[in-house]
Amino acid sequence: MTVVMIGVDPAKRSQAMAVLDNGEDQLAAQVGNDSAGYRDMIRLAKRWPDRTWAVQGAGGVGVQLAQRVVADGEKVLDVPPKLSTRARSFDVGHGRKTDPGDARTVAVVAIRTRGLRQVVPDDEMVALRLMSERRRDLVQSRTKTVNHLHQLLMELIPAGAHRNLTASKAKALLATIRPVLLQPRPAASSPSTCSMTSSHSTASSKTSTNASRPRSKRPAPA
């Protein structure tokens, strides 16, 4: 069974990942920064059951990533940025800083260095992560509700609703159009009944018009 070290260089825009064995041969690499990228990193790491993560600055810039990996049941080591910077200066790349290169350097430092601090779960970070996920769910639910409300108002209001519609304005609009929605619809009548009613109305109109028209007087016979 291959024992691997997974080095991660966390950054604001991207998180580079490099998988190395004990001989420091790189087996795989991955770059990602969003939730989908993190899931891809976890999926790739599970290819090696005997694995250890090494995160640069797990107590600083990489604290969120390190705590997230620990929460998923992984073993994580904290690599100080000074050690990885010193190792990069002696690398074959002449100290050039790249995210994939930094991830490999982090893994190399974790392999060669003994006594690195193992990251443990932080209760405050766990609470913040749960609150952040809850807020994300609420935002998604609100967005879905607002979009549904806009679609409903677009169908009920000929001119449509304003894009900056607030909850109070939407409530007022619904209160305005509610009486219209609650009005009973006229009963549907058959085509024959409609035609008979129309012809009867036309006949009645003609009769009333003829009745109201003054009659001309005929001259009396001589």
Side-chain angles (χ1 to χ4, degrees):
M1 183 180 297
T2 305
V3 180
V4 298
M5 182 67 68
I6 305 174
V8 182
D9 177 43
K12 293 182 179 180
R13 295 185 178 181
S14 64
Q15 293 174 353
M17 166 185 172
V19 182
L20 276 65
D21 58 9
N22 285 335
E24 300 181 4
D25 294 328
Q26 185 164 329
L27 304 178
Q30 184 86 17
V31 177
N33 194 21
D34 54 358
S35 297
Y38 175 78
R39 289 192 295 267
D40 293 339
M41 292 169 62
I42 294 294
R43 191 178 302 111
L44 178 61
K46 288 183 178 180
R47 292 170 53 184
W48 297 274
D50 194 355
R51 59 185 179 272
T52 303
W53 293 70
V55 179
Q56 177 177 308
V61 67
V63 61
Q64 294 183 2
L65 176 63
Q67 289 296 325
R68 188 172 184 180
V69 176
V70 170
D72 289 336
E74 301 288 332
K75 180 182 179 181
V76 181
L77 299 178
D78 180 16
V79 177
K82 291 183 178 180
L83 290 180
S84 57
T85 302
R86 190 181 308 166
R88 186 175 64 248
S89 63
F90 292 101
D91 199 0
V92 294
H94 303 288
R96 289 194 298 268
K97 182 174 177 57
T98 60
D99 291 340
D102 289 348
R104 173 181 170 80
T105 303
V106 171
V108 170
V109 171
I111 293 174
R112 298 180 181 181
T113 308
R114 298 290 180 261
L116 293 176
R117 182 181 69 89
Q118 183 173 347
V119 181
V120 296
D122 188 352
D123 295 339
E124 294 182 358
M125 291 298 301
V126 172
L128 288 175
R129 182 170 59 85
L130 293 176
M131 292 174 61
S132 177
E133 293 177 356
R134 176 58 177 167
R135 181 182 181 278
R136 181 191 59 195
D137 295 339
L138 291 176
V139 170
Q140 292 178 353
S141 177
R142 179 186 180 279
T143 303
K144 184 178 179 180
T145 303
V146 170
N147 291 338
H148 180 71
L149 179 59
H150 273 282
Q151 182 64 29
L152 178 63
L153 292 176
M154 286 292 292
E155 296 175 359
L156 297 178
I157 302 176
H162 296 287
R163 296 185 62 87
N164 58 349
L165 185 66
T166 60
S168 57
K169 293 181 180 179
K171 186 176 181 181
L173 283 174
L174 290 177
T176 303
I177 63 178
R178 183 177 297 174
V180 180
L181 297 177
L182 297 179
Q183 288 182 357
R185 295 183 179 181
S189 55
S190 61
S192 58
T193 306
C194 292
S195 59
M196 293 177 60
T197 305
S198 177
S199 60
H200 178 72
S201 300
T202 305
S204 300
S205 177
K206 291 182 179 180
T207 304
S208 60
T209 302
N210 294 333
S212 61
R213 185 180 300 172
R215 296 182 179 179
S216 59
K217 297 182 179 180
R218 296 181 180 180

